[in-house]
């Protein structure tokens, strides 16, 4: 398709899916598979951006005095969870708003899905971050990571609102 060739030049489009939250595309160049969410690459495999994910995971966690629980709000699969699993954490609650993203990872990158989401320390939750935090009760975390790329779509936009930061501070 000509439109897809312009959006993903030099890449083979394997799948394009839409959910209530956004559009997911899966592309391939030689052995490299990329999963895009609303036009932004969120997972690159088998050569992810390990350095930035390692820094994003390790710096906030290692700055704490205890290794307990971490809450990841979006965009954890495909590298961030792998980096967190290298640390001696008790548990990682991974919140993803769009179930279609996890279904797509499971289908196109099953080894990533298995290594990250099937770990006994990772607890994947499909829910809206605001709703999840409002219902969290007395559950507390040592670190909250907002894994979304930015406030460039509806799924990520709500994660960068003042109310969201206040909700995050209540669970710390």
């Amino acid at each position: 398709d000509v439109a897809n060739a312009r959006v993903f030049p030099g890449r083979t489009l394997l799948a394009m899916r839409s959910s209530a939250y956004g559009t997911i595309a899966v592309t391939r160049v030689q052995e490299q598979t990329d999963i895009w969410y609303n036009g932004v690459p969120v997972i690159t495999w088998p050569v992810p951006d390990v350095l930035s994910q390692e820094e994003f995971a390790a710096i906030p966690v290692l700055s704490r005095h205890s290794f307990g629980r971490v809450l990841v709000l979006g965009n954890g699969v495909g590298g961030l969870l792998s980096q967190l699993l290298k640390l001696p954490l008790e548990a990682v609650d991974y919140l993803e708003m769009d179930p279609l993203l996890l279904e797509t990872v499971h289908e196109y990158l099953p080894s990533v899905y298995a290594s990250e989401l099937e770990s006994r320390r990772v607890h994947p939750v499909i829910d809206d971050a605001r709703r999840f935090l409002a219902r969290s009760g007395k559950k507390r975390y040592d670190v909250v990571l907002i894994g979304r790329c930015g406030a460039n779509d509806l799924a990520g936009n709500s994660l960068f609102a003042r109310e969201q930061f206040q909700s995050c501070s209540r669970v710390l």
Side-chain angles (χ1 to χ4, degrees):
D1 176 89
V2 174
N4 290 329
R6 288 185 184 149
V7 175
F8 306 108
R11 302 173 185 276
T12 301
L13 182 64
L14 303 177
M16 179 82 79
R17 301 169 170 173
S18 293
S19 72
Y21 303 103
T23 302
I24 299 168
V26 182
T27 64
R28 182 167 289 144
V29 176
Q30 297 174 356
E31 299 301 315
Q32 184 82 23
T33 301
D34 299 309
I35 297 181
W36 303 70
Y37 196 85
N38 290 334
V40 177
V42 293
I43 300 171
T44 300
W45 203 260
V47 186
D49 183 3
V50 175
L51 181 60
S52 67
Q53 292 173 351
E54 185 176 61
E55 289 174 348
F56 186 73
I59 291 172
V61 171
L62 295 175
S63 69
R64 303 290 300 167
H65 297 301
S66 64
F67 295 104
R69 301 182 62 82
V70 173
L71 174 62
V72 176
L73 301 176
N75 205 24
V77 70
L80 179 56
L81 292 176
S82 292
Q83 295 305 317
L84 288 170
L85 289 170
K86 292 178 182 178
L87 302 170
L89 298 169
E90 290 174 26
V92 178
D93 288 351
Y94 168 47
L95 188 71
E96 185 60 61
M97 186 161 48
D98 194 340
L100 188 59
L101 179 61
L102 297 186
E103 291 170 20
T104 303
V105 171
H106 189 263
E107 182 177 344
Y108 286 92
L109 299 171
S111 64
V112 173
Y113 188 92
S115 68
E116 295 182 349
L117 295 172
E118 293 175 2
S119 166
R120 63 174 177 73
R121 292 189 295 153
V122 174
H123 308 111
V125 178
I126 302 294
D127 200 354
D128 174 77
R130 292 170 295 184
R131 185 172 40 237
F132 177 84
L133 290 167
R135 293 188 316 226
S136 63
K138 296 183 189 246
K139 190 178 252 189
R140 295 290 176 254
Y141 297 93
D142 295 291
V143 175
V144 176
L145 297 173
I146 300 176
R148 269 277 164 231
C149 296
N152 58 345
D153 58 38
L154 290 176
N157 193 30
S158 66
L159 296 176
F160 292 94
R162 178 186 319 230
E163 297 80 10
Q164 185 68 18
F165 289 120
Q166 291 169 341
S167 295
C168 288
S169 70
R170 281 193 295 274
V171 299
L172 288 171

